[in-house]
Amino acid sequence: MVQDLNQADPGGRIAKLDPSVQITVRDHVHRILRAAIIGGKFAPDEKINERQLAEQFGVSTTPIKEALRQLESEGLVETLPRRGVIIRFNMGWAEEMILARAALESMIGHLAAKRISDEACQALQATVRLMETATTSGNADELIALNETFHEQIHRASRCEYLARLIERQQFYDASIRRVIHSDPAERQRALGEHRAIAEAIVERNPDRAERSMRDHVVRSGDIYLAIVFGKKEDI
């Protein structure tokens, strides 16, 4: 992992439990562990110490075991005889996740351009205007939130509940990686240009252009993620 990412996460590999989030302890542990794995904070084939994790989270081993079973169903970890739970996530797996997300998001963009309402068009354009302001100010946290809003608006406009559910399993960013990316002014401008192109294609009801713009955006973002987490230099 590159040094900038370590600096962005000085508290260690595991984030603290947030008591304000209204979900079960198991789901909370799963969410944080998944972000740590996807963020490259565990090495491929590294063994997971369940007791140590329980101490770090301040919980019993039960929600740790439950969360690990859920992560195993996603293919991110594996339970091996006499070895315990090990990390299976690696660069090859990450590349496939990115390509899967690009395929799903591009089809959602295609359908959003066909199905979006006039009201939803206005809301999407308003989000892009907020992105322009946040890009200029360099407010990374606001850009992270606006990026999520932008994609959620497109998901709703597409009316693709099944595809949107599939995308949830292809998330490959965590907040620390996003902050590293948004710390680069040139990258902020590139991302803004891509979001503008996606929004314009959808608002103009051009499905093919929306699909192409979304796919290119997700793949390029994925290349940046691979470079940060795995030091990959070639594009996908």
Coordinates of all heavy atoms in Angstrom, one line a residue, residues 100-171:
A100 N -16.9 -5.9 -13.0 CA -18.3 -6.3 -12.7 C -19.1 -5.0 -12.4 O -20.2 -4.8 -12.9 CB -18.4 -7.3 -11.5
R101 N -18.5 -4.2 -11.5 CA -19.2 -2.9 -11.2 C -19.4 -2.0 -12.4 O -20.5 -1.4 -12.6 CB -18.5 -2.1 -10.1 CG -19.2 -0.9 -9.7 CD -18.4 -0.2 -8.6 NE -19.2 1.1 -8.2 CZ -20.1 1.1 -7.3 NH1 -20.4 0.0 -6.6 NH2 -20.7 2.3 -7.0
A102 N -18.4 -2.0 -13.3 CA -18.5 -1.2 -14.5 C -19.6 -1.7 -15.4 O -20.4 -0.9 -16.0 CB -17.2 -1.2 -15.3
A103 N -19.8 -3.0 -15.5 CA -20.8 -3.6 -16.3 C -22.2 -3.2 -15.7 O -23.1 -2.8 -16.5 CB -20.7 -5.1 -16.4
L104 N -22.3 -3.3 -14.4 CA -23.6 -3.1 -13.8 C -24.0 -1.6 -13.8 O -25.1 -1.2 -14.2 CB -23.6 -3.6 -12.3 CG -23.5 -5.1 -12.1 CD1 -23.1 -5.4 -10.7 CD2 -24.8 -5.8 -12.5
E105 N -23.0 -0.7 -13.5 CA -23.3 0.7 -13.4 C -23.6 1.2 -14.8 O -24.4 2.1 -15.0 CB -22.0 1.4 -12.8 CG -21.9 1.3 -11.4 CD -22.7 2.2 -10.5 OE1 -23.7 2.7 -11.1 OE2 -22.4 2.4 -9.3
S106 N -22.9 0.7 -15.9 CA -23.1 1.2 -17.2 C -24.5 0.8 -17.7 O -25.2 1.7 -18.4 CB -22.0 0.6 -18.2 OG -22.1 -0.8 -18.2
M107 N -25.0 -0.3 -17.3 CA -26.3 -0.7 -17.7 C -27.4 0.1 -17.0 O -28.4 0.5 -17.5 CB -26.6 -2.2 -17.5 CG -27.9 -2.7 -18.0 SD -28.3 -2.2 -19.7 CE -27.0 -3.0 -20.6
I108 N -27.1 0.4 -15.7 CA -28.0 1.3 -14.9 C -28.0 2.7 -15.5 O -29.1 3.3 -15.7 CB -27.5 1.3 -13.4 CG1 -27.9 0.0 -12.8 CG2 -28.2 2.5 -12.7 CD1 -27.5 -0.1 -11.3
G109 N -26.8 3.2 -16.0 CA -26.8 4.5 -16.6 C -27.6 4.5 -17.9 O -28.3 5.4 -18.2
H110 N -27.5 3.4 -18.7 CA -28.3 3.2 -19.9 C -29.7 3.3 -19.6 O -30.5 4.1 -20.3 CB -27.9 1.9 -20.5 CG -28.6 1.6 -21.8 ND1 -28.0 1.7 -23.1 CD2 -29.9 1.2 -22.1 CE1 -28.8 1.4 -24.0 NE2 -30.0 1.1 -23.5
L111 N -30.2 2.6 -18.6 CA -31.7 2.5 -18.3 C -32.1 3.8 -17.7 O -33.3 4.3 -17.9 CB -32.0 1.3 -17.5 CG -31.8 0.0 -18.1 CD1 -32.0 -1.1 -17.2 CD2 -32.8 -0.2 -19.3
A112 N -31.2 4.5 -16.9 CA -31.6 5.8 -16.3 C -31.9 6.8 -17.4 O -32.8 7.6 -17.3 CB -30.5 6.3 -15.4
A113 N -31.1 6.8 -18.5 CA -31.3 7.7 -19.6 C -32.6 7.5 -20.3 O -33.2 8.4 -20.8 CB -30.1 7.6 -20.6
K114 N -33.1 6.3 -20.2 CA -34.4 6.0 -20.8 C -35.6 6.3 -19.9 O -36.7 6.6 -20.4 CB -34.5 4.5 -21.2 CG -33.6 4.1 -22.4 CD -33.9 2.6 -22.7 CE -33.2 2.2 -24.1 NZ -33.5 0.8 -24.4
R115 N -35.4 6.2 -18.6 CA -36.5 6.2 -17.7 C -36.5 7.4 -16.8 O -37.5 7.6 -16.1 CB -36.4 5.0 -16.8 CG -36.5 3.7 -17.5 CD -36.2 2.5 -16.6 NE -36.4 1.2 -17.3 CZ -36.2 0.0 -16.8 NH1 -35.8 -0.1 -15.5 NH2 -36.4 -1.1 -17.5
I116 N -35.5 8.3 -16.8 CA -35.5 9.4 -15.8 C -36.6 10.4 -16.1 O -37.0 10.7 -17.2 CB -34.1 10.1 -15.9 CG1 -33.9 11.0 -14.7 CG2 -33.9 10.8 -17.2 CD1 -32.4 11.4 -14.5
S117 N -37.1 10.9 -15.0 CA -38.2 11.9 -15.0 C -37.5 13.3 -15.1 O -36.3 13.5 -14.8 CB -39.0 11.8 -13.8 OG -38.3 12.2 -12.6
D118 N -38.3 14.3 -15.5 CA -37.9 15.7 -15.6 C -37.4 16.1 -14.2 O -36.4 16.8 -14.1 CB -38.9 16.6 -16.1 CG -39.2 16.3 -17.6 OD1 -38.4 15.7 -18.3 OD2 -40.3 16.7 -18.0
E119 N -38.1 15.8 -13.2 CA -37.8 16.2 -11.8 C -36.4 15.6 -11.4 O -35.6 16.2 -10.8 CB -38.9 15.7 -10.8 CG -38.6 16.2 -9.4 CD -39.7 15.7 -8.5 OE1 -40.7 15.1 -8.9 OE2 -39.6 16.0 -7.2
A120 N -36.2 14.3 -11.7 CA -35.0 13.6 -11.4 C -33.8 14.2 -12.2 O -32.7 14.3 -11.7 CB -35.1 12.1 -11.7
C121 N -34.1 14.7 -13.4 CA -33.0 15.4 -14.2 C -32.6 16.6 -13.5 O -31.4 16.9 -13.4 CB -33.6 15.7 -15.6 SG -33.7 14.4 -16.7
Q122 N -33.5 17.4 -13.0 CA -33.1 18.6 -12.3 C -32.3 18.3 -11.0 O -31.4 19.0 -10.7 CB -34.4 19.4 -11.9 CG -35.2 19.9 -13.1 CD -36.5 20.5 -12.8 OE1 -36.9 20.6 -11.6 NE2 -37.3 20.9 -13.8
A123 N -32.7 17.3 -10.3 CA -32.0 16.9 -9.1 C -30.6 16.5 -9.4 O -29.6 16.8 -8.7 CB -32.7 15.8 -8.3
L124 N -30.4 15.7 -10.5 CA -29.1 15.3 -10.9 C -28.2 16.4 -11.3 O -27.0 16.5 -10.9 CB -29.2 14.3 -12.0 CG -27.9 13.5 -12.4 CD1 -27.4 12.6 -11.3 CD2 -28.2 12.7 -13.7
Q125 N -28.8 17.4 -12.0 CA -28.0 18.6 -12.4 C -27.6 19.4 -11.2 O -26.5 20.0 -11.1 CB -28.8 19.4 -13.4 CG -29.0 18.7 -14.8 CD -29.9 19.4 -15.7 OE1 -31.0 19.8 -15.2 NE2 -29.6 19.6 -16.9
A126 N -28.5 19.5 -10.2 CA -28.2 20.2 -9.0 C -27.0 19.6 -8.2 O -26.2 20.3 -7.7 CB -29.5 20.3 -8.1
T127 N -27.0 18.2 -8.2 CA -25.9 17.5 -7.6 C -24.6 17.8 -8.3 O -23.5 18.0 -7.6 CB -26.1 16.0 -7.5 OG1 -27.3 15.8 -6.8 CG2 -25.0 15.3 -6.9
V128 N -24.6 17.9 -9.6 CA -23.4 18.2 -10.3 C -22.9 19.6 -10.0 O -21.7 19.9 -9.9 CB -23.6 18.0 -11.9 CG1 -22.4 18.5 -12.6 CG2 -23.8 16.6 -12.2
R129 N -23.8 20.5 -9.8 CA -23.4 21.9 -9.5 C -22.8 21.9 -8.1 O -21.8 22.7 -7.9 CB -24.6 22.8 -9.5 CG -25.1 23.2 -11.0 CD -26.1 24.3 -11.0 NE -27.4 24.0 -10.3 CZ -28.4 23.4 -11.0 NH1 -28.3 23.1 -12.2 NH2 -29.5 23.1 -10.3
L130 N -23.3 21.2 -7.2 CA -22.7 21.1 -5.8 C -21.3 20.4 -6.0 O -20.4 20.8 -5.2 CB -23.6 20.2 -4.9 CG -24.9 20.9 -4.5 CD1 -25.7 19.9 -3.7 CD2 -24.6 22.2 -3.7
M131 N -21.1 19.5 -6.8 CA -19.8 18.8 -7.1 C -18.8 19.9 -7.6 O -17.6 19.8 -7.2 CB -20.0 17.7 -8.1 CG -20.6 16.4 -7.5 SD -20.7 15.2 -8.8 CE -20.7 13.7 -7.8
E132 N -19.3 20.7 -8.4 CA -18.4 21.8 -9.0 C -17.9 22.6 -7.9 O -16.7 23.0 -7.8 CB -19.2 22.6 -10.0 CG -19.5 21.8 -11.3 CD -20.5 22.6 -12.2 OE1 -21.0 23.6 -11.7 OE2 -20.7 22.2 -13.3
T133 N -18.7 23.0 -6.9 CA -18.3 23.9 -5.8 C -17.3 23.1 -4.9 O -16.3 23.6 -4.5 CB -19.5 24.3 -5.0 OG1 -20.4 25.0 -5.8 CG2 -19.1 25.2 -3.8
A134 N -17.7 21.9 -4.6 CA -16.8 21.1 -3.7 C -15.5 20.7 -4.4 O -14.4 20.6 -3.7 CB -17.5 19.8 -3.3
T135 N -15.5 20.6 -5.7 CA -14.2 20.3 -6.4 C -13.3 21.5 -6.3 O -12.1 21.4 -6.1 CB -14.5 20.0 -7.9 OG1 -15.3 18.8 -8.0 CG2 -13.2 19.8 -8.7
T136 N -13.9 22.7 -6.5 CA -13.1 23.9 -6.4 C -12.5 24.1 -5.0 O -11.3 24.5 -4.8 CB -13.9 25.2 -6.7 OG1 -14.4 25.0 -8.1 CG2 -13.1 26.4 -6.7
S137 N -13.3 23.8 -3.9 CA -12.9 24.1 -2.6 C -12.0 22.9 -2.1 O -11.2 23.1 -1.1 CB -14.1 24.2 -1.6 OG -14.8 22.9 -1.6
G138 N -12.0 21.8 -2.8 CA -11.2 20.6 -2.3 C -11.7 19.9 -1.1 O -11.0 19.3 -0.4
N139 N -13.0 20.0 -0.8 CA -13.6 19.4 0.3 C -13.9 17.9 0.0 O -14.8 17.5 -0.6 CB -15.0 20.1 0.7 CG -15.6 19.6 2.0 OD1 -15.4 18.5 2.4 ND2 -16.2 20.5 2.7
A140 N -12.9 17.1 0.5 CA -12.9 15.7 0.2 C -14.2 15.0 0.7 O -14.8 14.2 0.1 CB -11.7 15.0 0.7
D141 N -14.5 15.3 2.0 CA -15.7 14.6 2.6 C -17.0 14.9 1.9 O -17.8 14.1 1.7 CB -15.8 15.0 4.1 CG -14.7 14.3 4.9 OD1 -14.2 13.3 4.5 OD2 -14.3 14.8 6.0
E142 N -17.1 16.2 1.5 CA -18.3 16.6 0.8 C -18.3 15.9 -0.6 O -19.4 15.5 -1.1 CB -18.3 18.1 0.6 CG -19.7 18.6 0.0 CD -19.8 20.1 0.0 OE1 -18.8 20.8 0.4 OE2 -20.8 20.6 -0.5
L143 N -17.2 15.8 -1.3 CA -17.1 15.1 -2.6 C -17.5 13.6 -2.4 O -18.2 13.1 -3.3 CB -15.7 15.3 -3.2 CG -15.5 16.6 -3.9 CD1 -14.0 16.7 -4.2 CD2 -16.3 16.8 -5.1
I144 N -17.0 13.0 -1.4 CA -17.4 11.6 -1.1 C -18.9 11.4 -1.0 O -19.5 10.6 -1.6 CB -16.7 11.1 0.1 CG1 -15.2 11.0 -0.1 CG2 -17.2 9.7 0.5 CD1 -14.4 10.7 1.1
A145 N -19.5 12.3 -0.2 CA -21.0 12.3 0.0 C -21.7 12.6 -1.3 O -22.7 11.9 -1.6 CB -21.4 13.2 1.1
L146 N -21.3 13.6 -2.0 CA -21.9 13.9 -3.3 C -21.8 12.8 -4.3 O -22.7 12.6 -5.1 CB -21.4 15.2 -3.8 CG -21.8 16.5 -3.0 CD1 -21.0 17.7 -3.5 CD2 -23.3 16.8 -3.2
N147 N -20.7 12.2 -4.4 CA -20.5 11.1 -5.3 C -21.5 10.0 -5.0 O -22.1 9.4 -5.9 CB -19.1 10.5 -5.2 CG -18.8 9.4 -6.2 OD1 -18.6 9.6 -7.4 ND2 -18.8 8.2 -5.7
E148 N -21.7 9.7 -3.7 CA -22.7 8.6 -3.4 C -24.1 9.1 -3.8 O -24.9 8.3 -4.3 CB -22.6 8.4 -1.9 CG -21.3 7.6 -1.5 CD -21.2 7.4 0.0 OE1 -22.2 7.9 0.8 OE2 -20.2 6.8 0.5
T149 N -24.4 10.4 -3.5 CA -25.7 10.9 -3.9 C -25.9 10.8 -5.4 O -27.0 10.4 -5.9 CB -25.8 12.4 -3.5 OG1 -25.7 12.4 -2.0 CG2 -27.1 13.0 -3.9
F150 N -24.9 11.2 -6.2 CA -24.9 11.2 -7.6 C -25.3 9.8 -8.1 O -26.2 9.6 -9.0 CB -23.6 11.6 -8.2 CG -23.5 11.6 -9.7 CD1 -23.9 12.7 -10.4 CD2 -22.9 10.6 -10.4 CE1 -23.8 12.8 -11.8 CE2 -22.8 10.6 -11.8 CZ -23.2 11.7 -12.5
H151 N -24.6 8.8 -7.7 CA -24.9 7.4 -8.2 C -26.2 6.9 -7.6 O -26.9 6.2 -8.4 CB -23.7 6.5 -7.8 CG -22.5 6.7 -8.6 ND1 -22.3 6.2 -9.8 CD2 -21.4 7.4 -8.4 CE1 -21.2 6.5 -10.3 NE2 -20.6 7.3 -9.5
E152 N -26.6 7.2 -6.4 CA -27.9 6.8 -5.9 C -29.0 7.4 -6.7 O -30.0 6.8 -7.0 CB -28.0 7.2 -4.4 CG -27.2 6.4 -3.5 CD -27.1 7.0 -2.1 OE1 -27.8 8.0 -1.8 OE2 -26.5 6.4 -1.2
Q153 N -28.9 8.7 -7.1 CA -29.9 9.3 -8.0 C -30.0 8.6 -9.3 O -31.2 8.4 -9.8 CB -29.5 10.8 -8.2 CG -29.7 11.7 -7.0 CD -29.2 13.1 -7.2 OE1 -28.2 13.3 -7.9 NE2 -29.9 14.1 -6.7
I154 N -28.9 8.2 -9.9 CA -29.0 7.5 -11.1 C -29.6 6.1 -10.9 O -30.4 5.6 -11.8 CB -27.6 7.3 -11.7 CG1 -27.1 8.7 -12.1 CG2 -27.6 6.4 -13.0 CD1 -25.6 8.8 -12.6
H155 N -29.3 5.4 -9.8 CA -29.9 4.1 -9.5 C -31.4 4.3 -9.4 O -32.1 3.4 -10.0 CB -29.3 3.6 -8.2 CG -27.9 3.2 -8.3 ND1 -27.2 2.7 -7.2 CD2 -27.0 3.2 -9.3 CE1 -25.9 2.5 -7.6 NE2 -25.8 2.8 -8.9
R156 N -31.9 5.3 -8.7 CA -33.3 5.5 -8.5 C -34.0 5.8 -9.9 O -35.0 5.3 -10.2 CB -33.6 6.6 -7.5 CG -33.3 6.2 -6.1 CD -34.0 7.2 -5.1 NE -33.5 8.5 -5.3 CZ -32.5 9.1 -4.7 NH1 -31.8 8.3 -3.9 NH2 -32.2 10.3 -4.9
A157 N -33.3 6.6 -10.7 CA -33.9 7.0 -12.0 C -34.0 5.8 -12.9 O -34.9 5.7 -13.7 CB -33.0 8.1 -12.6
S158 N -33.1 4.8 -12.8 CA -33.1 3.6 -13.6 C -34.2 2.7 -13.2 O -34.6 1.9 -14.1 CB -31.7 2.9 -13.5 OG -31.6 2.2 -12.3
R159 N -34.6 2.7 -12.0 CA -35.6 1.8 -11.4 C -35.2 0.4 -11.5 O -36.0 -0.6 -11.7 CB -37.0 2.0 -12.1 CG -37.7 3.3 -11.8 CD -38.9 3.5 -12.6 NE -38.7 4.5 -13.6 CZ -39.5 4.6 -14.7 NH1 -40.5 3.8 -14.9 NH2 -39.2 5.6 -15.6
C160 N -33.9 0.2 -11.3 CA -33.3 -1.2 -11.4 C -32.9 -1.6 -10.0 O -31.8 -1.5 -9.5 CB -32.0 -1.2 -12.2 SG -32.3 -0.9 -14.0
E161 N -33.9 -2.2 -9.3 CA -33.7 -2.6 -7.9 C -32.7 -3.8 -7.8 O -31.8 -3.9 -7.0 CB -35.0 -3.0 -7.2 CG -35.9 -1.8 -7.0 CD -37.2 -2.1 -6.3 OE1 -37.2 -3.2 -5.6 OE2 -38.1 -1.4 -6.3
Y162 N -32.9 -4.7 -8.7 CA -32.0 -5.9 -8.7 C -30.6 -5.6 -9.0 O -29.6 -6.0 -8.3 CB -32.5 -7.0 -9.7 CG -31.7 -8.2 -9.8 CD1 -31.6 -9.1 -8.7 CD2 -31.0 -8.5 -10.9 CE1 -30.8 -10.2 -8.8 CE2 -30.2 -9.7 -11.0 CZ -30.1 -10.5 -9.9 OH -29.3 -11.6 -10.0
L163 N -30.3 -4.8 -10.1 CA -29.0 -4.5 -10.4 C -28.3 -3.6 -9.3 O -27.1 -3.8 -9.0 CB -28.9 -3.7 -11.7 CG -29.3 -4.5 -13.0 CD1 -29.2 -3.6 -14.2 CD2 -28.5 -5.7 -13.2
A164 N -29.1 -2.7 -8.7 CA -28.5 -1.9 -7.6 C -28.1 -2.8 -6.4 O -27.1 -2.5 -5.8 CB -29.6 -0.9 -7.2
R165 N -28.9 -3.8 -6.2 CA -28.5 -4.7 -5.1 C -27.2 -5.5 -5.4 O -26.3 -5.7 -4.6 CB -29.6 -5.8 -4.8 CG -30.8 -5.2 -4.1 CD -31.9 -6.2 -3.9 NE -33.0 -5.7 -3.2 CZ -33.2 -5.7 -1.9 NH1 -32.2 -6.1 -1.1 NH2 -34.2 -5.2 -1.3
L166 N -27.0 -5.9 -6.7 CA -25.8 -6.6 -7.1 C -24.6 -5.6 -6.9 O -23.5 -6.1 -6.5 CB -25.9 -7.0 -8.5 CG -26.9 -8.2 -8.8 CD1 -26.9 -8.4 -10.3 CD2 -26.5 -9.4 -8.1
I167 N -24.8 -4.4 -7.2 CA -23.7 -3.4 -7.1 C -23.2 -3.3 -5.7 O -22.0 -3.0 -5.5 CB -24.1 -2.0 -7.6 CG1 -24.1 -2.0 -9.2 CG2 -23.2 -0.9 -7.1 CD1 -24.6 -0.8 -9.8
E168 N -24.0 -3.5 -4.7 CA -23.6 -3.3 -3.3 C -22.4 -4.3 -3.0 O -21.6 -4.0 -2.1 CB -24.8 -3.6 -2.3 CG -25.9 -2.5 -2.4 CD -27.0 -2.9 -1.5 OE1 -27.0 -3.9 -0.8 OE2 -28.0 -2.1 -1.5
R169 N -22.3 -5.4 -3.7 CA -21.3 -6.4 -3.4 C -20.0 -6.1 -4.2 O -19.1 -6.8 -4.1 CB -21.8 -7.8 -3.7 CG -23.0 -8.2 -2.9 CD -23.4 -9.6 -3.0 NE -22.3 -10.5 -2.5 CZ -22.5 -11.8 -2.3 NH1 -23.7 -12.4 -2.5 NH2 -21.6 -12.6 -1.8
Q170 N -20.1 -5.0 -5.0 CA -18.9 -4.7 -5.9 C -18.3 -3.4 -5.4 O -17.5 -2.8 -6.2 CB -19.3 -4.6 -7.4 CG -20.2 -5.7 -7.9 CD -19.5 -7.1 -7.7 OE1 -18.3 -7.2 -7.7 NE2 -20.3 -8.1 -7.5
Q171 N -18.6 -2.9 -4.2 CA -17.9 -1.7 -3.7 C -16.5 -2.0 -3.4 O -16.1 -2.9 -2.7 CB -18.6 -1.3 -2.4 CG -20.1 -0.9 -2.6 CD -20.3 0.4 -3.2 OE1 -19.4 1.2 -3.5 NE2 -21.6 0.8 -3.4

